[in-house]
Amino acid sequence: MAGPAQAGAGALRGRTGGADALGRGGRRPRSLALRARIVLRCAEGGSNKEVAAELGVSQGTVNRWRSRFIRLRLDGLSDEPRPGRPPSILPGQIEDVLTATLESTPGKDTH
């Protein structure tokens, strides 16, 4: 009988659904490639403890991504929206704001 660390190994085996391509990296975020490697190693039959040791992550991390992949397939490997207020500066504006801040001289209202 499989223990909790092996839960879902049968569901993963042969059904990685594109995770192999994600695990190879390329121009994808490093975190997504790591998650894909976790899923692929689990599909090969590795326990949470073995996979965690091989990839240098915690057993909880392996359990989280194994469970999310079983439940949501490839969609489960992407980041979920984070709670809180949305950023006030859009990603495309960050460079402009930094340049203006670092290269301009403030007015008379400095200390």
Side-chain angles (χ1 to χ4, degrees), residues 16-104:
T16 56
D20 52 345
L22 293 176
R24 283 188 232 113
R27 297 188 50 82
R28 290 170 189 80
R30 199 178 295 197
S31 58
L32 184 59
L34 174 63
R35 295 167 193 169
R37 283 195 302 277
I38 290 170
V39 168
L40 290 170
R41 185 60 187 92
C42 290
E44 294 169 354
S47 69
N48 287 359
K49 187 174 185 177
E50 293 168 344
V51 174
E54 287 176 24
L55 298 177
V57 297
S58 72
Q59 291 180 44
T61 299
V62 174
N63 184 51
R64 173 186 309 118
W65 296 115
R66 177 195 295 256
S67 300
R68 281 186 54 180
F69 183 79
I70 290 170
R71 195 173 69 249
L72 303 170
R73 309 309 303 165
L74 280 180
D75 290 338
L77 299 183
S78 60
D79 285 326
E80 293 179 339
R82 308 232 174 192
R85 192 186 85 169
S88 57
I89 300 173
L90 298 175
Q93 297 174 315
I94 292 174
E95 185 177 349
D96 296 336
V97 171
L98 285 174
T99 302
T101 302
L102 296 173
E103 295 180 359
S104 65

